[in-house]
Amino acid sequence: MNFIEVYDNALSSELCKGIIHFFDVAPPEDKFEGRTSLGVNKNYKDSLDITLEFDNLTEIDQIIIPVLRTYIEKYKEKHVEINYVFPWRLTNKWNIQKYEPTQAYHDPHCECADGNQKRILAWMIYLNTVTDKGGTRFTNYDIVTDAVEGRLVIWPAYWTHTHHGVASPTQTKYIATGWFQFK
């Protein structure tokens, strides 16, 4: 068991396209170069990002929240042991990220590598289908989740689930991503 759960059709094609449109028409000042805890370094992460906060309850937040509520319950039903740890919740901040051809989060990483021990799970929704690579590779399991429109992936935030993007040489990829963290 690898605790990586994939939920297809978690988000409809129409909603995925709406989130991509939101990203594409957002003012340039709302977008920033992808960064890690070490700052901006395109050798590690090469993307264009927007950070949102669920507390703002924008139209986009209201699309994502119910999806995460539904599927985290499915995750908890399958992995019941997670119900016995200290209480946790959806992290307020989350990102929409755009990766042009050849761009990716190239560096293998986990979601608490920067010392953020509050994170317990990560989530990612592929907003478009990429047919020329473009997925996410979990290095410890040699598993690649393909970028399929509307696909939600949930996995543990720890070193056991080190992962990196698989750059598409020809296609653009959009994702929505964030975390669950201890209260």
Side-chain angles (χ1 to χ4, degrees):
M1 182 176 303
N2 60 37
F3 300 95
I4 302 164
E5 295 303 329
V6 176
Y7 304 100
D8 285 332
N9 302 307
L11 205 56
S12 73
S13 179
E14 179 184 351
L15 293 175
C16 288
K17 286 175 177 46
I19 295 170
I20 290 171
H21 177 74
F22 169 86
F23 184 97
D24 285 343
V25 302
E29 60 270 17
D30 290 350
K31 300 172 186 174
F32 57 91
E33 294 292 327
R35 60 181 76 113
T36 71
S37 59
L38 302 173
V40 175
N41 183 333
K42 292 185 179 194
N43 291 321
Y44 295 120
K45 183 182 180 193
D46 191 6
S47 65
L48 191 60
D49 300 1
I50 293 177
T51 296
L52 300 162
E53 295 185 16
F54 286 122
D55 285 350
N56 293 331
L57 287 177
T58 66
E59 182 180 339
I60 301 299
D61 297 320
Q62 292 179 52
I63 291 169
I64 299 291
I65 290 170
V67 169
L68 294 175
R69 283 186 179 151
T70 296
Y71 287 95
I72 197 60
E73 289 305 316
K74 292 179 185 301
Y75 192 93
K76 288 164 44 175
E77 286 172 16
K78 182 167 183 179
H79 303 289
V80 295
E81 295 83 3
I82 201 165
N83 295 301
Y84 302 113
V85 298
F86 193 79
W88 49 277
R89 62 177 176 81
L90 186 61
T91 303
N92 187 40
K93 289 187 176 185
W94 63 285
N95 299 307
I96 303 171
Q97 300 172 343
K98 179 180 183 180
Y99 296 92
E100 296 285 358
T102 73
Q103 293 182 326
Y105 199 135
H106 302 288
D107 195 45
H109 64 284
C110 67
E111 300 302 322
C112 63
D114 62 355
N116 189 337
Q117 298 303 317
K118 290 186 175 188
R119 293 179 181 163
I120 185 169
L121 295 169
W123 61 268
M124 173 178 53
I125 301 171
Y126 295 107
L127 299 173
N128 66 312
T129 298
V130 179
T131 58
D132 185 13
K133 300 186 180 178
T136 303
R137 181 172 179 265
F138 291 86
T139 58
N140 287 341
Y141 304 97
D142 197 24
I143 291 173
V144 175
T145 57
D146 293 330
V148 175
E149 182 185 64
R151 174 176 281 173
L152 167 65
V153 184
I154 300 174
W155 70 92
Y158 304 105
W159 64 271
T160 55
H161 288 76
T162 300
H163 58 283
H164 64 88
V166 179
S168 172
T170 61
Q171 298 173 346
T172 299
K173 176 173 76 174
Y174 291 85
I175 65 169
T177 189
W179 309 270
F180 291 90
Q181 71 179 19
F182 291 111
K183 290 184 181 179

